Amino acid sequence: MTFSQSVKNEILKSVRNLKGCCATSFLTAVLKSTGSLTLGSGGFSFTIGSDNHDFLAICQALASSELGVPSQLVEDGVNKKGAPLYACVFDKSLGEKLSLVTKDRDGAMVFGEMGYIFPEKPCCRRAFMQGLFVAGGSVVIPQDDDLQNVSVDKAKYHLELRLTDNEFADSVIKEFSELKLRVMQRKNHIVLYLKDSESVADFLVYVNAMSAKLKLENVIAARSIRNDANRQRNCTIANIEKAVAAAVKQIDAINLIKQKGLFDALPDTLKDIANLRLRHPDSNLDEMAEMLGISKSGANHRFTKLIELAQKIQPS
């Protein structure tokens, strides 16, 4: 099961028992985002198609129990992978009860104004967004294997809601501005999306997918730990390379002073550290200072003196 499927299943468990205006908000979002509307001799009918039988069964149950609207759930072919597809066809009265259609002065059915379909109560707004995601949403987060093979800066988070109506997409962005949804066009769909872990986590909380949010937090924590380990390893490597370069420079300076016959004239402090360096070419500055019983800055000062002398003997 993908992460996206697990999020939808978690949401479906929480919406199964929706009542009243929350059930209405959920069904409104589902029908507006992914439902099809057909005008026939008997009036309007609404159809939802999906490969998720449980999702359609819940929509059917909510429409019946909360709105008294009958429907028929049927098989509707197979998808590209051979999995069965289903369709739920609702009675024409559903559109009017959800304010998706209204009657004009002549009694003809027309689409309702966009502003009337968005709920105001927080619980209903959550149900509305749950409907949008279950009907046409998906979410991807890095998995353990991705974290092994992809740098922490390039591993991707992506959540999207697929819609077919530009006006509706714009209205969703405005009505749910706190979610900071962005928009792009993809073939025949308008896609509202989020691209960073914090925004995806906020969305999961908003739709009450708390188990999914906890899994996301575990991924974020794992990436943070790996990031810290990589940073520490890189820092260690850089320090080793720096220490090796410094030791090579110091040894070259000492050897040059010896070649020029100036070593015996050096103060004992410089001769001591020079001889110690030649005996311990792999030791870092801290270790050199400890062996001499002096401070790190004192050891660094002595090496600086040796290098300056070598530069005067043979300027670069």
Side-chain angles (χ1 to χ4, degrees):
M1 180 185 298
T2 65
F3 181 69
S4 189
Q5 290 169 331
S6 67
V7 174
K8 290 185 179 182
N9 287 344
E10 185 176 359
I11 292 174
L12 288 176
K13 288 181 181 179
S14 69
V15 303
R16 191 180 300 271
N17 298 315
L18 288 178
K19 301 295 182 182
C21 56
C22 289
T24 298
S25 296
F26 177 81
L27 289 172
T28 299
V30 169
L31 285 166
K32 184 61 182 175
S33 63
T34 195
S36 59
L37 175 64
T38 303
L39 178 60
S41 58
F44 287 99
S45 63
F46 292 86
T47 302
I48 306 171
S50 175
D51 60 357
N52 190 330
H53 186 276
D54 289 342
F55 162 52
L56 296 182
I58 289 173
C59 291
Q60 183 182 41
L62 291 177
S64 176
S65 63
E66 300 304 313
L67 299 172
V69 176
S71 60
Q72 185 178 10
L73 181 54
V74 297
E75 291 191 8
D76 192 32
V78 296
N79 61 18
K80 294 180 180 179
K81 297 182 179 179
L85 295 173
Y86 307 93
C88 192
V89 183
F90 295 90
D91 182 80
K92 61 183 180 180
S93 61
L94 182 61
E96 190 170 2
K97 290 187 176 184
L98 294 179
S99 299
L100 292 176
V101 294
T102 58
K103 291 182 179 180
D104 62 16
R105 294 179 179 179
D106 298 324
M109 301 296 287
V110 296
F111 283 104
E113 295 183 16
M114 190 67 67
Y116 291 119
I117 72 171
F118 292 104
E120 295 183 0
K121 294 172 61 177
C123 58
C124 294
R125 288 173 63 82
R126 172 180 283 108
F128 191 94
M129 189 55 65
Q130 288 173 323
L132 290 185
F133 183 81
V134 175
S138 63
V139 57
V140 176
I141 65 173
Q143 301 300 312
D144 291 341
D145 290 343
D146 297 326
L147 295 177
Q148 299 282 346
N149 302 316
V150 180
S151 70
V152 292
D153 295 326
K154 294 183 179 180
K156 295 181 179 179
Y157 299 89
H158 182 82
L159 183 146
E160 67 180 41
L161 304 171
R162 292 178 300 281
L163 307 174
T164 57
D165 186 327
N166 280 285
E167 182 184 0
F168 180 52
D170 290 340
S171 298
V172 170
I173 291 175
K174 293 177 182 177
E175 288 290 334
F176 294 89
S177 59
E178 67 271 27
L179 296 178
K180 301 178 182 179
L181 293 163
R182 300 162 68 183
V183 63
M184 66 178 176
Q185 180 80 42
R186 183 191 296 153
K187 295 183 179 181
N188 297 325
H189 291 89
I190 307 299
V191 176
L192 307 184
Y193 68 95
L194 301 170
K195 297 289 285 187
D196 64 275
S197 59
E198 183 176 350
S199 296
V200 172
D202 289 343
F203 184 94
L204 294 177
V205 172
Y206 193 89
V207 296
N208 202 30
M210 300 307 297
S211 294
K213 197 254 186 179
L214 291 175
K215 182 174 181 179
L216 173 59
E217 288 180 337
N218 288 337
V219 170
I220 294 172
R223 290 185 64 192
S224 177
I225 292 172
R226 187 169 284 106
N227 192 29
D228 289 343
N230 288 340
R231 187 181 297 112
Q232 184 175 3
R233 183 179 67 251
N234 292 338
C235 182
T236 300
I237 292 173
N239 288 338
I240 291 174
E241 291 176 346
K242 183 178 179 180
V244 169
V248 169
K249 187 174 183 180
Q250 294 159 6
I251 291 171
D252 287 344
I254 294 167
N255 287 334
L256 179 61
I257 294 171
K258 283 180 173 287
Q259 290 171 9
K260 297 298 183 179
L262 301 176
F263 187 80
D264 291 338
L266 292 175
D268 290 341
T269 55
L270 296 185
K271 285 192 287 186
D272 289 344
I273 200 168
N275 288 325
L276 191 63
R277 168 53 76 198
L278 294 177
R279 293 196 301 271
H280 301 279
D282 297 330
S283 297
N284 59 35
L285 192 61
D286 286 316
E287 293 168 338
M288 297 291 292
E290 184 177 357
M291 284 185 281
L292 286 173
I294 61 176
S295 66
K296 180 179 178 180
S297 61
N300 183 62
H301 177 73
R302 295 182 188 186
F303 279 127
T304 300
K305 289 292 186 180
L306 290 170
I307 292 171
E308 289 176 348
L309 177 58
Q311 290 173 341
K312 290 179 182 178
I313 297 172
Q314 186 175 322
S316 57

